[in-house]
Amino acid sequence: MKKFIYLPALLCVCIAASVRAQTAKLTVDLSKNAHEVSSKLYGLMTEEINHSYDGGLYAELIRNRIFKDNAETPEGWSVVQDAGGKGSIQLIGANPLNVPRDQKRNAINDALTTCLKLTVDKSEGRTGIANEGYWGIPIKPQTTYRASFYAKGTDEAAGALQVSIESNDGTIVYASGQVNMEKGGWKKYELQLTTAADAKPTTKAHFVISTKRPGSYYFNLVSLFPPTYNDRPNGNRIDIMKLMADMKPTFLRFPGGNFLEGDYFASRFPWKTTLGPLEERPGHPGCWSYRASDGLGLLEFLEWCEDLKIEPLLAVYAGYVLQGDHTDAGPLLKPYVDDALDEIEYVTGDVNTKWGAKRAQDGHPAPFKLSYIEIGNEDGFDRSGSYDGRFAQFANAIEAKYPNLHCIATIGGRDPLGTRGKLTIRKPEVVDEHYYRNAYEMEEDASHYDNYDRNGFKVFVGEWATREGAPTTNMNAALGDAAWMTGMERNSDVVIRSCYAPLFVNVNPKTDKTPRAWQWDSDLIGYNALTSYGSPSYYAQKMFGTYLGDNVVQTTGENIPTQTRPATKRDSASGVMPKPFPALFYVSTRDSKTGIVYIKVVNTTGLPQRIAINLQGAAKVGAEGTLVVLKGKDRTDTNTIDEPEKIVPVTTKIKGIGKTFTRVFDPYSISVVQVQTN
Ligand code: AHR
């Protein structure tokens, strides 16, 4: 009997002792500023993937507005035949929009060469063309949409054209208006369409232009814009811009990614034909399985930066294409180098330069500030070794003309792609490293930058993500991301810039008729035509970007719990079993102006973690602090388009803060403890 009394008691004592022995401890030594935090540590990366712009950020609602998406069929368009109306639609190539491109070239437009012909056979009922939009036209109450299009027709077709936004089943007309199509050649028609205050939000709507007269009608550049961010003409969606602004990013890397390179030389990012009026933009074949309208072109990328008050980080095409072809350094590469110099001049040149003047003509006389230029993208894929010469030729030419610009190389780093090649001709000042991994891999390698050479190259982590969850990431991904960010932040003397990728995803799933809208799983911000949301990874980024001091404070951990990942095939092939690695991650920064210390703690375990925090070297510590927590109920917990705010950071005031205090950190959580010091 005695045994039964004493054994459990003994067990309790042992467990308590072991828990006590294992209570984690963080010592934040405020007398030891490790180094300054890079002022541009957290930024954004973007390219046309997952319908990032067309069907995404770019507010245009009409899909295939210049009829070039598919040479065989008018994709996105259908014929409307109501109450006895009868007609047909077909693509007409070589029927260019011969409106003047500019004063000097009052001739053929070589950008808009295909149009849509509507043949109306019968005058009863109505006949017209309908556009399905990008997975629907978003209906919002009391909203004014700007519609415009070019049209012409046979003489009997001249007269009223009805323009409307209607429900897909045809039972509701949300907004409608008329224009009077004149006889003769191409002419632009414009009108505004306003929905009623009681219109119910939906994406189940389409855009219609219809008539009651027989004849032949031709249409081109059909456009419909809702209100845009900062009211910019040809601008961006308000909701998605706000999500980005909330992240407090510091720069935007564009236009890719693979979208910069293209599959072939002829389909690389054609910055010159992305400029000027939409009538001059032919679009180009993207590399992510759909055509890019280039409505969001070079100037729009720059204005996106301007709207978010951030700096552009321009990537220039450097002579390698995704299908594996390249141009060797030397005279054949020179046109590409010259093209990059022109592009930089468009961005930064004053109005007396050729390309600065073009920018002014496009509506933006003021030059943009640019400090970093990336030469190419992921040139580790180029197995020929040509990047050594290509990088040197580009960097030498850029440095000669723009000595204040810093050139970023895409190989030479310690990421898997970077180690595929060597730069021998010219040492890079900054190297772009890319990391796409699962959560275990991110957490296991979270101290990746701790022992980088402080006298070597600086690192731009130009693409990185924990790839778990689709289309947007889940809580486990956010934990992996946060663990990785503690490492980048702690080493932000080496890691001077970083940006997650991909940024955007249109989340419309596969249907019987259409493929899913995205090409790449695990993205940061999701949306459909109507609404948008941030993934748990988005909120982790937002927390890291928002709660950031200007100095890294030395923080040491003791009794940090560990985890061991399951063995992979590669482990068993190499005969090495995985070793334990931390399950709790941390970093501290201090704002030298306010004295606020931000202690970030990532608990990747399913258990609450008690941590004793010791603030050394602070004269005074406020008794109250602020705690921001992002947590999930399990690893796969996530946000979706239907449940957009299931996982969001929660802010509370906390008491009992002092030079030493203890807090329990929730399972599967990312926390920022803010403490006032002086
Ligand atoms: O982010 C998606 C793709 O991943 C990028 O286009 C490319 O640079 C990388 O391989």
Side-chain angles (χ1 to χ4, degrees), residues 45 47 49 253 256-259 261 288 377-378 381 417 434 436 463 501-502 520:
M45 186 271 166
E47 66 173 316
I49 184 175
R253 174 186 180 227
N258 290 162
F259 187 61
E261 306 161 270
W288 290 104
N377 175 61
E378 294 193 337
F381 281 116
L417 270 178
H434 291 183
Y436 290 108
E463 290 180 32
W520 185 279

Side-chain angles (χ1 to χ4, degrees), residues 171-184:
T171 58
I172 308 170
V173 176
Y174 291 107
S176 116
Q178 270 193 1
V179 295
N180 188 38
M181 191 178 76
E182 293 169 15
K183 286 184 184 169

Side-chain angles (χ1 to χ4, degrees), residues 40 311-313 369-373 404-407 497:
K40 298 243 177 327
E311 208 177 286
L313 190 159
K369 181 171 185 253
L370 186 70
S371 330
Y372 284 81
I373 284 283
N404 294 329
L405 278 183
H406 302 276
C407 290
R497 292 183 176 213

